[in-house]
Amino acid sequence: DLNVFIFFVSVMLLLNWGFRLLLLRPFVRWLLPASKQRQKRFSQSFMELIFYAGFAILGMAVVPHQDFVWPSSKWWDGFLDGGHQIMRSDVGCFHIMYMVRYTEEIITVCLESKRKDFAQMLLHHCLTVALTCISYLFGWNRVGVVVMVLLDLADVPLHLAKLCKYMDDKGNQWVPWQFLADRLFEIFALIFFFTRLVMYGYVCWSAHIEATRYFPKGLPEWTCVVLLYSLYFLQVYWFHLILKVAMRL
C-alpha cells in the first residue's frame, strides 16, 4: 500500500502541475490578461474545483451504497470482532486516493503563492491526512469515508463562486458574474453549515460517545476522536468567516 501511495502522489503532482503550467496557465493569460495575481488565483481555484468536484463525485458513487452508512451504530457495531479491518476494494481505494489527494495538496499549498489562510489550509490538510491514515490502519474506515464525503461537497460551489468573481473583475458585462458568484456563495454557505457543522458535528458525537457503547477506546481511537474535534473546530472558525462575508453580500 505504501508503494501505491507514493506512486499516486507522484502521478497526481505531475498531472496537477503539468496541466496547470502547460495548458491552464496559457489559457488564463489569454482570458485575464490584465492581472497576474488574478491569473494565479483563477488557476488555483480552477484546479481545486477539479479535485473537489472529482472526489465529491467519486465519494457519492462509492459511499452511499455501502451497507454501513446508516444508522450510525453500524459504524461501530462489530468493531471488536475485527471485521472492520476488512474493507471492500472500492472503500479501500477511496481511502488511499483520499490520502494521496491531500498529501499532494500539502505539497501544492507550499509551492503556490502564500494565501491569507495558508496556515489554516496547511493545518486542515495535515489533520485530514493523519485522520485518514489512522482510520485506514486501525479499522475506523466506515466513519472515515462518511467524513470524506461530508467535507468535500461544500467546496464545489465555493470555487465556482471564486471563478465567477474573477471573471466579473474582467469587466465583462454580458454575463452577470457577480450575481452568479453571490448566489453560489450562498449555496456554499448553506451546504457548509449542514454538512460540516450539523452532520459532521453528529459524526464527532458518535465517535466520542456512541462508539464507547461498542468497544473501549485505546490510543488510536482517542487519537481519531481528537483529530475529528480538531477538524470540527476549524470548520467553526471558517463558518465564522463565511458569516462575515455573507453579511456584506
Side-chain angles (χ1 to χ4, degrees):
D1 289 351
L2 180 60
N3 292 333
V4 172
F5 172 78
I6 294 173
F7 172 76
F8 278 106
V9 169
S10 303
V11 169
M12 193 166 288
L13 267 172
L14 288 173
L15 289 175
N16 182 358
W17 285 96
F19 177 80
R20 185 182 302 203
L21 296 176
L22 298 177
L23 297 176
L24 183 59
R25 183 167 293 182
F27 171 73
V28 175
R29 284 174 182 166
W30 168 81
L31 185 67
L32 303 170
S35 172
K36 290 185 177 180
Q37 186 64 25
R38 199 174 302 141
Q39 291 171 8
K40 291 179 180 179
R41 292 176 178 175
F42 189 96
S43 297
Q44 289 174 350
S45 290
F46 188 89
M47 294 307 302
E48 289 179 357
L49 173 63
I50 290 176
F51 281 116
Y52 279 111
F55 274 85
I57 293 170
L58 180 61
M60 293 303 294
V62 171
V63 178
H65 307 294
Q66 306 298 325
D67 58 6
F68 57 75
V69 170
W70 192 257
S72 57
S73 58
K74 293 184 178 181
W75 303 344
W76 320 112
D77 191 19
F79 181 84
L80 280 179
D81 301 331
H84 290 205
Q85 295 284 357
I86 303 172
M87 287 178 279
R88 282 180 36 163
S89 59
D90 53 353
V91 174
C93 288
F94 187 47
H95 251 90
I96 292 174
M97 293 308 298
Y98 207 84
M99 283 187 281
V100 165
R101 172 262 190 101
Y102 272 101
T103 302
E104 188 272 339
E105 284 281 343
I106 291 171
I107 300 171
T108 294
V109 165
C110 294
L111 292 175
E112 290 176 335
S113 301
K114 298 299 183 290
R115 295 177 288 188
K116 293 180 180 179
D117 60 348
F118 169 78
Q120 293 92 332
M121 291 299 296
L122 188 62
L123 174 62
H124 172 268
H125 296 346
C126 290
L127 287 173
T128 302
V129 171
L131 183 59
T132 309
C133 182
I134 293 174
S135 70
Y136 180 80
L137 294 175
F138 293 96
W140 277 42
N141 49 78
R142 296 184 177 184
V143 69
V145 293
V146 172
V147 170
M148 293 174 203
V149 171
L150 291 179
L151 295 187
D152 272 348
L153 298 175
D155 283 285
V156 176
L158 170 63
H159 290 293
L160 283 171
K162 287 183 177 181
L163 294 179
C164 289
K165 174 62 178 175
Y166 301 143
M167 289 298 296
D168 180 69
D169 290 341
K170 182 184 177 184
N172 186 338
Q173 301 300 318
W174 294 101
V175 180
W177 293 113
Q178 186 59 54
F179 175 83
L180 292 174
D182 291 344
R183 303 295 80 76
L184 284 165
F185 188 84
E186 291 166 357
I187 293 171
F188 154 71
L190 288 173
I191 296 176
F192 190 104
F193 176 76
F194 284 108
T195 57
R196 296 198 183 194
L197 296 187
V198 178
M199 299 174 73
Y200 180 62
Y202 176 84
V203 171
C204 292
W205 169 84
S206 180
H208 185 191
I209 304 300
E210 187 178 25
T212 308
R213 305 170 189 169
Y214 295 91
F215 55 88
K217 292 187 177 71
L219 179 60
E221 291 78 18
W222 280 115
T223 301
C224 272
V225 172
V226 171
L227 291 173
L228 286 168
Y229 275 120
S230 299
L231 273 177
Y232 185 76
F233 293 141
L234 193 56
Q235 309 310 316
V236 173
Y237 168 75
W238 274 334
F239 192 68
H240 165 70
L241 300 181
I242 291 168
L243 290 179
K244 290 175 67 174
V245 174
M247 290 174 65
R248 296 198 298 266
L249 293 180

